[in-house]
Amino acid sequence: MPSVQLEDVMRAHGDALHAYVTRLTNGDRFAAEDVVQETWVRAWRNLDRLTENLGSVRGWLLRVAHNIAIDQHRSRRARPTEVGLPEQDLEYAAVAPSANDQVETRIVVRAMLETLSPAHRDTVLEVYYADRTAASAAKVLGVPPGTVKSRLHNAMRTLRESVSAQPLAA
C-alpha cells in the first residue's frame, strides 16, 4: 500500500488544480472537469511517485493537467466540428416521399429532359442516370470527354433556366 493517499493529494492540491485548469480552458467548466478528472486518474496511477521528496507534487499535477488540456484542444481541432440539425430538418428527413410524389417527380423530370436536344439529353442520362464519369460517358457516346463536360454544363444551365422560368404550382 503506498504511503501517499490520493485523498490527501486531492485535498491539498484540488482547489489550485481546478482553478488552474479552468483558466486553461477559458472558463469552460465541462472541459475543465474533464481535464481535472483525467489528471486525478494519472495521479492515482503514479501515486508512488507523488511525494515531495521526488519533486513538487503540485508542479507535477499542473504539468500533467497542462499536457492533457493541450492534447484535448488539439484533438478537438483535428476533428470536424459537429453540427446538429434543427428539429424541423430532422422531422423532414424522417418522412419519406409518398408514392404520388415520386411519380409526379418522374413525370416532371421526364418532361424537363424532353426539352433538351437529343445530344444533351443523352449526355445527362449517361452521366446522371447511368452514373458514369465524363470519360466513360464519352466512350459510350463516342465523343471526347471535353464534349461531355460542355454538353453537361449547357444541359444543366438550360434545365435551371427552364425551372426558374416556370410559375410555381399552387
Side-chain angles (χ1 to χ4, degrees):
M1 184 167 163
S3 59
V4 178
Q5 295 293 317
L6 184 60
E7 293 80 19
D8 297 335
V9 175
M10 291 174 77
R11 204 173 304 109
H13 305 289
D15 291 339
L17 176 65
H18 201 275
Y20 175 72
V21 171
T22 301
R23 284 191 310 272
L24 275 179
T25 58
N26 293 321
D28 183 343
R29 195 179 90 218
F30 299 110
E33 288 174 3
D34 287 345
V35 171
V36 168
Q37 182 177 1
E38 181 61 27
T39 303
W40 291 132
V41 168
R42 293 187 189 182
W44 175 71
R45 288 182 183 152
N46 294 287
L47 205 52
D48 57 331
R49 291 192 241 166
L50 294 180
T51 64
E52 295 296 332
N53 297 342
L54 298 175
S56 168
V57 173
R58 182 171 291 183
W60 185 89
L61 289 169
L62 297 180
R63 173 48 55 191
V64 168
H66 179 86
N67 292 343
I68 292 168
I70 288 175
D71 289 346
Q72 286 184 356
H73 175 72
R74 286 178 181 158
S75 114
R76 278 192 304 275
R77 284 184 52 204
R79 280 195 315 251
T81 304
E82 296 176 5
V83 178
L85 295 175
E87 287 183 33
Q88 59 183 332
D89 288 346
L90 289 176
E91 291 172 13
Y92 178 75
V95 177
S98 70
N100 291 342
D101 290 341
Q102 290 177 351
V103 169
E104 184 180 356
T105 300
R106 285 186 190 135
I107 292 170
V108 169
V109 168
R110 191 170 288 141
M112 296 298 293
L113 288 173
E114 290 299 319
T115 65
L116 297 174
S117 71
H120 287 100
R121 183 175 43 251
D122 292 344
T123 304
V124 169
L125 292 174
E126 286 300 322
V127 172
Y128 289 110
Y129 286 91
D131 197 27
R132 298 185 196 278
T133 63
S136 65
K139 287 180 184 174
V140 170
L141 296 170
V143 296
T147 302
V148 169
K149 291 175 185 178
S150 67
R151 284 182 183 173
L152 194 58
H153 171 76
N154 291 327
M156 297 310 291
R157 186 185 66 222
T158 301
L159 289 172
R160 271 193 300 277
E161 288 171 356
S162 65
V163 166
S164 64
Q166 289 186 5
L168 293 175

